[in-house]
Amino acid sequence: IAVMKDDMPKADEGEFYYHQLEGLLVVTTDDVVLGKVSHLFNTGSNDVMVVKPFKESLDGKERWLPYTDDCVKDISLGDGIIKVDWDPEF
């Protein structure tokens, strides 16, 4: 099923559509750049953000981060940043 973005209902405060998160910069709470959100998918128990590296990333690792309140601490669409509580070594 395809729906035009303009025809979608406005998301409630604190809720986001996947397409709004794709391309956002992902940084740790210590401001370490992990990459950018490539896409999200649902595993049944929780959603997962696939974070792909780019030139300014810490390293060349692709990371799969849980899209949960424990991991995702702040989303700023205006700034294009998602802050996460994530160990960059993991």
Side-chain angles (χ1 to χ4, degrees):
I1 295 176
V3 176
M4 301 295 292
K5 290 178 187 176
D6 292 340
D7 293 334
M8 297 172 76
K10 185 176 180 342
D12 291 334
E13 182 154 342
E15 294 183 354
F16 304 92
Y17 288 109
Y18 282 1
H19 74 269
Q20 293 177 293
L21 304 177
E22 292 171 354
L24 295 186
L25 185 67
V26 179
V27 299
T28 68
T29 53
D30 294 326
D31 293 323
V32 176
V33 177
L34 299 179
K36 293 183 179 183
V37 177
S38 167
H39 61 283
L40 294 96
F41 63 92
N42 186 286
T43 64
S45 60
N46 61 270
D47 295 342
V48 173
M49 288 189 304
V50 177
V51 179
K52 294 205 175 190
F54 70 109
K55 187 172 70 168
E56 285 87 27
S57 297
L58 168 68
D59 53 31
K61 290 183 185 177
E62 176 179 288
R63 292 174 170 85
W64 290 20
L65 279 64
Y67 186 74
T68 62
D69 290 340
D70 288 336
C71 181
V72 177
K73 296 303 178 184
D74 186 59
I75 298 173
S76 174
L77 294 180
D79 293 331
I81 297 174
I82 298 176
K83 285 266 188 178
V84 295
D85 184 4
W86 193 257
D87 181 350
E89 298 302 316
F90 188 64

